[in-house]
Amino acid sequence: MKTCLVVDDSKVIRKVARHILETLDFEVREAGDGREALESCLKEAPDVILLDWNMPVMSGMDFLRALRSSDIPTRPKVVFCTTENGMAYIRAAIEAGADEYVMKPFDRETLESKLQIVGMA
C-alpha cells in the first residue's frame, strides 16, 4: 500500500485529505508542522507528501529544503497544497524541490489528478 504524509497545521484539512487519500488506497500519516513532518520522514519516508505552505514552527518551504538536503534513502514525491496561487509561489515551490502544486480547497478529482501526475495514483 502506498503511504502519504499529510502536513498541515489545520486539523480539518488533514481530516479531509486523509478521507480522500484513504479512498484512493493510501495509508495516511499526519503531521501538524514541518518539524514534526521531518522527524516522521527521517524515521520512515512516505511515498508522497501533501505539504501545506504556511505553518507555525517550520514552514512548508523550510521543511522541503530540509527534506531535500537530508540523507533519507528514498525521495518522496511532494505535492504543495496551499492557498498561495501566485506564479512566484509556484515557481519557488518547484525550485525548492516540490513535484506538483494543488490549490486549497481541493476535491478528490483534483488531488487524484495531481497524484497521477507525480506517478502515485
Side-chain angles (χ1 to χ4, degrees), residues 34 51-55 58-65 80:
L51 181 63
D52 185 26
W53 189 293
N54 298 306
M55 295 178 290
M58 181 187 273
S59 73
M61 284 298 278
D62 289 342
F63 162 78
L64 186 55
R65 289 187 189 107
F80 248 116

Side-chain angles (χ1 to χ4, degrees), residues 6-101:
V6 179
V7 186
D8 200 301
D9 56 326
S10 165
K11 228 179 184 150
V12 173
I13 296 291
R14 291 197 312 264
K15 186 175 181 179
V16 168
R18 172 183 285 277
H19 175 73
I20 292 170
L21 289 159
E22 286 177 345
T23 68
L24 297 171
D25 292 327
F26 277 88
E27 182 183 306
V28 181
R29 298 191 331 244
E30 298 180 21
D33 62 60
R35 184 172 300 139
E36 197 180 310
L38 191 58
E39 288 168 8
S40 178
C41 288
L42 294 174
K43 274 187 211 137
E44 185 183 350
D47 296 311
V48 65
I49 299 168
L50 199 58
L51 181 63
D52 185 26
W53 189 293
N54 298 306
M55 295 178 290
V57 185
M58 181 187 273
S59 73
M61 284 298 278
D62 289 342
F63 162 78
L64 186 55
R65 289 187 189 107
L67 179 71
R68 293 302 188 225
S69 66
S70 75
D71 57 3
I72 60 172
T74 55
R75 183 180 179 270
K77 296 292 185 182
V78 175
V79 178
F80 248 116
C81 177
T82 183
T83 55
E84 306 291 357
N85 64 354
M87 279 311 295
Y89 285 102
I90 296 169
R91 192 174 308 112
I94 300 300
E95 286 171 2
D99 297 288
E100 236 336 306
Y101 203 91

